[in-house]
Amino acid sequence: MSNLGEITGISGPVVKAKSDLAIRMFEVAHVGRDELLGEVIRILGNNIFIQVYEDTSGLCTGEPVYFTGSLLQLDLGPGLLGSVLDGIGRPLTRLGEEGIFLKKGSHASPLDPDRKWQFFPSVEVGSLVGPGSIIGNMPETSFLNNRIMVPPDVSKGTIRSIASPGEYTVSDELCVLDNGYVIKATQTWEVRQPRPVMMRLPFDQPLITGQRVLDTLFPLALGGAAVMPGGFGTGKTVTQQSLAKWCNADIIVYIGCGERGNEMTEVLEEFPVLSDPYHDVPLMERMILIANTSNMPVAAREASIYLGMTIAEYYRDMGYNVAIMADSTSRWAEALREIGGRLEEMPGEEGYPAYLGTRLAQYYERAGRVKNMGEPVRNGSVSVINAVSPAGGDFSEPVTQSSLRLSGVFWGLDKRLAQQRHFPAINWQQSYSLFEDTLDHFFSSRLGPEWKFLKSYLKDMLERERILKDLVQLVGRDGLSEQDKWLLELVEILKVVYLQQNAFSDVDAFCSLDKQKQLLLILKRLDDVVQVKLEAGLIYDQISSIPFRIDLLKLRDLDQPELESKGKYWLDKLQHQLQDMVVFK
Ligand SMILES: Nc1ncnc2c1ncn2[C@@H]1O[C@H](COP(=O)(O)OP(=O)(O)OP(=O)(O)O)[C@@H](O)[C@H]1O
Ligand SMILES: [Mg+2]
């Protein structure tokens, strides 16, 4: 074979080969007799360095290397939804039967070649189509249609023939254009290359997460990127999984990137039995899982996030809102560091390669809400939610810092809050969202003008408590006014009842926007009622005898309409209780 090279050195996942051919950077190579999949990452004269995505033990110098001439690419088509792929897009279908490790060198496409899908054409012979135009639909799950599109890299043409409704495999010919191009349900795309869009749209719609602290205080826009750094055990995985379950994206791409294998198993066991909150079908129907856990080859971790992003962009192009989650970016960066070390590159900060920021940007820049190419006119989005696990919870380290520069939302997880079992352990003083202003219009039209007021009220209370706590250090709690004593109690209530949310609760794991507003309204009214009484002369110790927290936690577990009526009843009862208290003046 002409495009052969020969292995001259092996260092873990990095293989050095000799070849006299013209080799492309990032070209895919099949390495050794087992044809392990790899990618060219450095070319020095006729010395070629390849990162191999599979276990290299047993590989020997002198074995052949076959250079394919093409870059790392992925087959996109119906059947991806509900599937579990490894870091380089091979299906892990027989999961559980034969373990999640594939035979070395297997090069399977993620799409089932034999499965037949119903096709419904939506264009006629003679219609003009261009890149991104939809030519028909294939129902992929019980509620999601795979929209068969003209691939983005195909030029305009008129339809010469189109398949009639019926059953087709992913490789059957569905449509032929007058320029001779054949459209099938499958399209192939290079994973490191962003898929083109018509134009970018403003961030004016939220990704509703159903988590009160996130939606109320630090909302993420559709198409935005959020970074969630947190030390060991602060709740990164649980929070990401909650978002995967409850957020209002149409499709979720979940990448288990270098984290523990059993966490992925949890997802695989739990998600098929849980229902999608928006469609009453198994959650797995809107998920694509990419499993590249800590016990899998390290180099594939590097590719896995671009692979996930390519799948996300493919569904975005159909007009869907997709959320992509990677747990965790730090393990991905460690893979970069390991490969960089083996290449003997000059290390940058904390040993990470100098191009860490550039590589991260290549991923984050692919997020966005966009107008898609082609007809009919449609919009889609890819929102990113990435966990980062900085060693020792130190957010000043390079992976956290580089990620923050590229994203609009920072959900900082706090070790101290996690130790106090305050979950989600989002630190409300550190976290921020840059989308608050652009989302203002959406929230005020959806929840009314009072939402903004309630939100600032919550922020204001949290800030006032912070200042007051400093004062308590100086004067002690007894030196505070009755109003201030109540403020400290009220903020504790706000934290327990509003900011905390148990991801494992049947009722409270998801909180709708209407319920968030109702709950906040009740808490604000509670404050109003007590304030009036404090002004009239009641002292804090009298008020503190009322079991606010227990009552409110019971209310929180109610559905929205019941919460409204029971909340009103509880506030009326409270008012009477306070009325009966004697004022000592
Ligand atoms: N929202 C939540 N509700 C209830 N419990 C939670 C929540 N978030 C986290 N926890 C608790 O915290 C524990 C640790 O969470 P998790 O495994 O998500 O942490 P992590 O940050 O991913 O840790 P690691 O760094 O080890 O990956 C969970 O097992 C759970 O008990
Ligand atoms: Mg985790």
Side-chain angles (χ1 to χ4, degrees):
M1 244 181 281
S2 60
N3 39 356
L4 272 187
E6 186 186 301
I7 301 181
T8 54
I10 303 158
S11 166
V14 176
V15 166
K16 189 174 162 190
K18 235 184 179 51
S19 170
D20 297 326
L21 302 160
I23 305 290
R24 299 166 73 191
M25 190 64 177
F26 291 121
E27 178 171 339
V28 170
H30 295 162
V31 179
R33 270 181 218 107
D34 283 337
E35 298 193 5
L36 309 180
L37 199 73
E39 214 181 2
V40 173
I41 48 170
R42 179 191 274 182
I43 305 167
L44 287 177
N46 54 6
N47 285 320
I48 317 294
F49 294 79
I50 303 157
Q51 63 174 352
V52 177
Y53 294 132
E54 299 180 71
D55 183 15
T56 53
S57 44
L59 200 65
C60 200
T61 49
E63 285 192 36
V65 178
Y66 175 73
F67 294 97
T68 61
S70 51
L71 305 190
L72 188 63
Q73 53 192 22
L74 182 70
D75 288 343
L76 300 163
L80 285 172
L81 286 177
S83 65
V84 186
L85 309 177
D86 76 353
I88 41 175
R90 297 175 303 185
L92 300 170
T93 38
R94 285 177 300 282
L95 200 95
E97 292 164 28
E98 296 173 21
I100 53 171
F101 300 98
L102 291 168
K103 207 175 133 280
K104 273 189 182 184
S106 54
H107 301 156
S109 157
L111 309 177
D112 184 343
D114 303 320
R115 180 155 175 194
K116 294 208 162 182
W117 301 89
Q118 278 292 336
F119 174 66
F120 301 98
S122 61
V123 288
E124 287 164 5
V125 171
S127 358
L128 181 70
V129 290
S133 293
I134 293 172
I135 59 143
N137 291 296
M138 277 188 171
E140 189 172 345
T141 67
S142 45
F143 72 100
L144 270 174
N145 260 335
N146 188 301
R147 297 171 185 149
I148 307 298
M149 299 172 288
V150 178
D153 48 358
V154 171
S155 49
K156 269 190 180 174
T158 44
I159 298 204
R160 190 193 293 161
S161 71
I162 176 95
S164 40
E167 291 200 326
Y168 298 90
T169 68
V170 288
S171 50
D172 284 341
E173 194 174 293
L174 297 177
C175 172
V176 183
L177 302 185
D178 62 352
N179 55 21
Y181 192 86
V182 176
I183 297 167
K184 299 172 182 174
T186 313
Q187 32 175 296
T188 305
W189 194 258
E190 289 170 1
V191 300
R192 291 183 191 274
Q193 179 76 22
R195 286 171 65 92
V197 298
M198 182 76 91
M199 66 183 225
R200 287 189 170 246
L201 298 172
F203 297 109
D204 54 9
Q205 286 176 34
L207 179 90
I208 298 162
T209 64
Q211 309 300 303
R212 285 184 292 272
V213 60
L214 305 182
D215 289 339
T216 309
L217 293 178
F218 313 110
L220 172 61
L222 275 182
V227 178
M228 188 166 39
F232 174 70
T234 48
K236 299 179 288 296
T237 306
V238 172
T239 310
Q240 268 195 328
Q241 289 181 1
S242 296
L243 263 55
K245 285 180 210 163
W246 307 114
C247 83
N248 66 339
D250 301 309
I251 291 164
I252 314 283
V253 180
Y254 190 95
I255 313 172
C257 185
E259 287 294 298
R260 290 181 292 277
N262 59 355
E263 289 180 348
M264 212 64 199
T265 320
E266 273 169 28
V267 174
L268 290 170
E269 281 171 357
E270 201 185 340
F271 282 31
V273 292
L274 283 175
S275 278
D276 170 349
Y278 303 93
H279 304 97
D280 203 22
V281 292
L283 255 184
M284 244 354 240
E285 288 201 8
R286 68 165 189 168
M287 301 268 313
I288 295 141
L289 291 173
I290 299 178
N292 196 240
T293 49
S294 52
N295 49 353
M296 290 171 147
V298 68
R301 236 184 260 170
E302 202 269 322
S304 65
I305 67 166
Y306 302 108
L307 184 110
M309 187 52 97
T310 304
I311 297 177
E313 285 179 339
Y314 168 63
Y315 285 101
R316 171 205 68 190
D317 289 351
M318 293 181 203
Y320 292 118
N321 293 317
V322 187
I324 178 167
M325 303 175 189
D327 187 12
S328 114
T329 322
S330 302
R331 307 284 163 262
W332 170 86
E334 281 164 17
L336 273 193
R337 179 161 68 182
E338 180 170 339
I339 305 284
R342 290 185 192 272
L343 288 173
E344 295 173 10
E345 285 170 346
M346 177 82 81
E349 221 182 321
E350 289 198 16
Y352 291 107
Y355 47 81
L356 171 74
T358 323
R359 287 287 176 84
L360 271 176
Q362 283 166 359
Y363 169 77
Y364 280 101
E365 287 302 326
R366 290 170 74 171
R369 199 165 83 83
V370 303
K371 183 174 173 198
N372 299 121
M373 298 212 302
E375 300 289 323
V377 175
R378 60 205 185 272
N379 299 335
S381 68
V382 175
S383 316
V384 170
I385 300 151
N386 268 22
V388 183
S389 6
D394 170 17
F395 293 171
S396 65
E397 59 87 46
V399 184
T400 313
Q401 287 303 313
S402 305
S403 306
L404 282 182
R405 273 197 294 275
L406 298 161
S407 60
V409 173
F410 170 42
W411 293 331
L413 293 172
D414 190 299
K415 184 128 216 143
R416 197 179 36 89
L417 289 176
Q419 277 162 354
Q420 293 165 2
R421 309 288 300 160
H422 174 113
F423 289 118
I426 307 284
N427 182 324
W428 54 87
Q429 279 158 14
Q430 265 182 333
S431 306
Y432 62 79
S433 163
L434 300 182
F435 299 119
E436 277 188 87
D437 290 344
T438 52
L439 293 176
D440 224 26
H441 180 71
F442 172 91
F443 280 110
S444 357
S445 45
R446 170 80 173 67
L447 296 172
E450 63 272 32
W451 176 248
K452 200 170 173 181
F453 167 73
L454 286 170
K455 192 173 146 161
S456 342
Y457 166 75
L458 177 61
K459 281 189 184 172
D460 184 44
M461 286 295 138
L462 293 169
E463 180 56 16
R464 280 170 64 185
E465 187 225 26
R466 188 184 62 79
I467 300 167
L468 204 55
K469 276 206 162 154
D470 289 343
L471 190 69
V472 173
Q473 306 269 339
L474 293 174
V475 298
R477 205 179 170 98
D478 292 343
L480 295 180
S481 67
E482 298 305 306
Q483 266 84 359
D484 285 346
K485 282 183 198 162
W486 164 245
L487 180 89
L488 289 181
E489 168 69 14
L490 176 72
V491 174
E492 278 314 309
I493 294 172
L494 287 172
K495 286 185 204 167
V496 174
V497 178
Y498 198 79
L499 299 184
Q500 286 185 17
Q501 197 169 346
N502 185 351
F504 307 106
S505 152
D506 287 338
V507 195
D508 202 38
F510 171 80
C511 186
S512 68
L513 287 185
D514 291 320
K515 193 173 157 187
Q516 296 188 27
K517 178 182 163 192
Q518 195 58 46
L519 201 54
L520 206 47
L521 212 55
I522 292 172
L523 291 161
K524 167 77 176 86
R525 295 223 173 107
L526 158 70
D527 187 22
D528 293 343
V529 169
V530 173
Q531 288 294 350
V532 171
K533 285 290 151 194
L534 286 173
E535 266 161 41
L538 274 192
I539 58 166
Y540 167 71
D541 284 346
Q542 291 175 290
I543 295 162
S544 67
S545 60
I546 299 169
F548 294 111
R549 290 190 213 187
I550 300 170
D551 289 354
L552 283 162
L553 284 173
K554 278 191 207 142
L555 282 179
R556 191 181 73 177
D557 282 343
L558 300 173
D559 285 336
Q560 150 65 18
E562 222 184 341
L563 174 65
E564 194 168 344
S565 57
K566 293 249 168 87
K568 191 170 172 312
Y569 175 77
W570 181 78
L571 283 166
D572 287 345
K573 204 176 86 184
L574 174 75
Q575 224 153 1
H576 284 121
Q577 250 174 311
L578 293 173
Q579 209 84 52
D580 295 342
M581 288 182 179
V582 186
V583 175
F584 303 101
K585 269 225 164 150

